[in-house]
Amino acid sequence: MAEPHLFVIYGGTGDLAKRKLFPSLYRMLAKTGVSGEAVVLGVASAPLSDDEYRRSARESLASAGIGDTSAWCDERVYYEQVERGTPSLEPLARRIAAIERDHGLSGNRVFYLALPPGAFPRVIEDLSKVGLNRSDGWTRLVIEKPFGRDLQSAQELNRLVHRYFDENQVYRIDHYLGKETVRNLLAFRFANLLFETSWNRDRIDAVEITVAETLGIGTRAAYYDNAGVVRDMMQNHLTQLLALVAMEAPHSFEADAIRDEKVQLLRSIRRIDLNEVTFGQYGPGTTAGGEQLIGYAGESGVPAGSTTPTYVSLRVDIDNWRWQGVPFYLRTGKRLPEKSSHIAVRFRPPPTCLFHGRRDECVAHQNVIKLILQPNEGFELYFDVKSPSESLKLTQERLRFMYADSFDDIPDAYQTLIRDVIEGDQTLFVRADEVEESWRLFDPVIDAAADGHPVHEYAAATWGPEGRHTPIEWALGPIRGEVTKSPR
């Protein structure tokens, strides 16, 4: 379904373009068989020639483990310098027209804004002033997160975008939604009656969503200290996972049908109780291997006395028929012991235990489904069996499915989402009203962090503030999957 097109990377010399976009775009084009019919134009302020940019593109592809791409880069990659503050993009418009004419393209264009968020409004306006928001084919605008920094700024950016682009042209990208396990959440729920008939308050006791990172902020202090963990991860990545896990069944597998249900779910969420919110900031710590880690306050570029949270856990309650009374726990943080993104769904215990009085150790466990997004994508189901011994002892065992065991070629998230952009599939891209509902939900949480809500220090390489609520403990114990006993 991928058609010949011109793929314009605005910010074409940046880290995102080099590490993610070029390798993902090339693999996607090669896999769909249209690599000879697509052209890439990098746009940035650096004074580079086409040949210099092609050399950089070849190096990016080689670093990603892709073989000789010299012919493709020489024939299909171009560069246009646009200096900051350029009064008009007329030269860029002329260059685009010339490239399309030389390659016999019909006007299908992608404008990928691989830029800092503050540059979005100016670039969108400048593109539109020279008519690049429309063409004889299709024109699609891809915007990286974060989309705004609060509800007001998101609404202002939406109004600006809609002044020049129709919503069906806009692709607000969240790379988490390109992961195969995330995409398969819909298949897992709605193609398997075994699970969907149990996906409700009658059968499910609680749901927990965790995105744990081992890294600190690195060189991102200038961005991170102004953003914090809620803007960086909770308002976008975890909210998207929450929506896909909890949404109602759409009437069809079409973009607007699915996105309608996600928006409806977000509107059903009760205002978050700030008493259920825990903030943390990592301090110095030591890894299991003995490596000494500095705290957030010691990171280069962090202002003295900063109270910016690097960890947050909170409870979400959904006021609808399916989920009333079921707590959803969301947690994310930096400098945690393991890198892991997963969703744990804990089912209710049996209505009565048949094994009382047989042995003290005979305790039924609650079933748990664990959906693993990274580092190894797959699913795990925890269930009870009788231990093969003379006494009646229940042991929790695990059924496990890993994508890598069954599929050789698992595409990168950006590869998947770039393909969707080119094919015009908006299913896993965030719609304007969805962005605004998410900010509406988390603005009070962000304000609480700024207004003096306690931020507890935790040692780097631990699971968050000591003695505070850590949701994983009630479901799976430590992330490795040690299952705790049911309270019954």
Side-chain angles (χ1 to χ4, degrees):
M1 295 177 62
E3 299 176 87
H5 63 278
L6 176 64
F7 198 98
V8 182
I9 304 176
Y10 224 107
T13 59
D15 185 62
L16 176 62
K18 292 177 180 179
R19 288 193 307 109
K20 293 293 185 181
L21 300 187
F22 259 106
S24 298
L25 178 61
Y26 182 86
R27 289 189 178 109
M28 186 281 303
L29 293 173
K31 191 169 185 178
T32 55
V34 296
S35 58
E37 301 176 20
V39 180
V40 180
L41 174 62
V43 177
S45 60
L48 300 175
S49 66
D50 285 344
D51 287 340
E52 289 172 322
Y53 191 64
R54 288 163 182 160
R55 184 163 56 250
S56 174
R58 286 194 294 270
E59 291 171 356
S60 296
L61 296 170
S63 296
I66 300 173
D68 185 12
T69 58
S70 297
W72 182 78
C73 289
D74 290 345
E75 296 172 5
R76 297 280 157 181
V77 175
Y78 297 87
Y79 180 79
E80 181 71 14
Q81 180 187 10
V82 175
E83 297 186 52
R84 293 184 179 89
T86 298
S88 173
L89 293 185
E90 284 291 353
L92 175 63
R94 289 193 294 270
R95 185 73 189 282
I96 287 174
I99 292 172
E100 289 179 335
R101 183 172 58 251
D102 292 344
H103 287 271
L105 300 178
S106 59
N108 295 332
R109 301 167 184 165
V110 174
F111 289 95
Y112 196 117
L113 305 190
L115 297 166
F120 293 163
R122 175 182 56 79
V123 172
I124 290 169
E125 285 189 297
D126 288 350
L127 289 172
S128 304
K129 286 177 181 177
V130 294
L132 290 175
N133 56 327
R134 296 287 187 268
S135 72
D136 293 335
W138 45 255
T139 299
R140 292 164 186 160
L141 179 72
V142 184
I143 305 177
E144 277 278 348
K145 80 163 188 81
F147 196 84
R149 57 176 288 106
D150 53 24
L151 175 59
Q152 181 179 347
S153 60
Q155 290 173 328
E156 291 172 354
L157 187 52
N158 275 334
R159 284 194 290 270
L160 174 68
V161 169
H162 291 156
R163 191 181 307 158
Y164 303 111
F165 292 87
D166 299 330
E167 181 63 27
N168 62 15
Q169 294 179 277
V170 183
Y171 292 72
R172 299 172 189 84
I173 193 167
D174 184 336
H175 73 272
Y176 254 68
L177 296 183
K179 295 181 182 295
E180 280 301 306
T181 317
V182 176
R183 294 166 63 85
N184 270 290
L185 279 174
L186 298 176
F188 182 86
R189 287 189 55 191
F190 301 123
N192 296 289
L193 192 62
L194 171 67
F195 300 119
E196 179 55 22
T197 53
S198 301
W199 216 254
N200 55 62
R201 59 187 170 85
D202 295 330
R203 294 290 180 263
I204 290 177
D205 183 36
V207 179
E208 177 237 321
I209 301 173
T210 288
V211 176
E213 300 180 280
T214 56
L215 298 177
I217 61 166
T219 59
R220 301 171 68 217
Y223 160 75
Y224 197 92
D225 201 68
N226 286 309
V229 66
V230 179
R231 286 191 178 96
D232 188 50
M233 296 294 291
M234 184 72 73
Q235 179 271 336
N236 37 69
H237 295 333
L238 277 83
T239 303
Q240 290 300 311
L241 298 180
L242 170 65
L244 290 172
V245 167
M247 61 181 268
E248 295 296 322
H251 64 77
S252 66
F253 200 81
E254 295 178 353
D256 275 340
I258 292 171
R259 298 197 293 180
D260 285 346
E261 296 300 339
K262 289 168 68 182
V263 171
Q264 187 61 39
L265 185 281
L266 294 179
R267 289 174 177 164
S268 300
I269 295 175
R270 189 186 311 164
R271 182 182 175 91
I272 293 172
D273 183 352
L274 296 180
N275 293 319
E276 296 282 353
V277 178
T278 298
F279 290 120
Q281 183 187 93
Y282 65 86
T286 306
T287 67
E291 180 186 358
Q292 299 294 314
L293 302 173
I294 62 174
Y296 179 79
E299 299 279 14
S300 176
V302 173
S306 172
T307 58
T308 296
T310 62
Y311 168 99
V312 61
S313 66
L314 53 82
R315 171 175 169 156
V316 168
D317 292 278
I318 301 172
D319 287 332
N320 65 15
W321 194 269
R322 181 186 290 265
W323 295 115
Q324 185 65 42
V326 178
F328 284 72
Y329 296 99
L330 278 60
R331 177 177 66 158
T332 183
K334 290 189 173 298
R335 285 293 188 216
L336 301 184
E338 295 181 22
K339 180 180 177 65
S340 179
S341 298
H342 61 264
I343 301 161
V345 180
R346 185 178 71 175
F347 289 83
R348 296 190 182 279
T352 185
C353 182
L354 303 179
F355 311 105
H356 288 312
R358 299 300 299 269
R359 291 288 187 275
D360 290 341
E361 69 272 19
C362 180
V363 178
H365 306 88
Q366 290 174 260
N367 299 136
V368 175
I369 292 176
K370 186 178 179 185
L371 314 172
I372 307 168
L373 312 180
Q374 63 178 8
N376 301 309
E377 301 183 6
F379 305 94
E380 295 177 345
L381 171 62
Y382 294 83
F383 61 100
D384 272 0
V385 298
K386 178 188 172 297
S387 180
S389 63
E390 294 182 4
S391 64
L392 180 59
K393 180 179 180 180
L394 298 181
T395 301
Q396 190 138 47
E397 297 296 337
R398 177 181 68 179
L399 285 176
R400 193 180 196 209
F401 167 76
M402 294 289 110
Y403 277 95
D405 294 338
S406 299
F407 303 101
D408 295 329
D409 184 18
I410 301 175
D412 172 82
Y414 274 99
Q415 181 180 332
T416 299
L417 293 172
I418 288 172
R419 183 196 65 200
D420 287 351
V421 171
I422 293 170
E423 293 182 353
D425 183 354
Q426 292 182 299
T427 302
L428 293 178
F429 293 85
V430 186
R431 203 168 62 187
D433 52 353
E434 189 177 350
V435 169
E436 294 180 15
E437 290 300 329
S438 181
W439 280 119
R440 199 183 315 276
L441 180 63
F442 285 104
D443 264 5
V445 179
I446 294 170
D447 291 342
D451 293 341
H453 193 92
V455 178
H456 305 273
E457 182 175 297
Y458 61 97
T462 64
W463 284 114
E466 184 177 354
R468 306 298 299 177
H469 176 55
T470 51
I472 196 69
E473 290 180 357
W474 56 253
L476 294 176
I479 273 183
R480 292 189 184 280
E482 300 170 12
V483 182
T484 58
K485 293 182 178 180
S486 163
R488 299 189 188 183

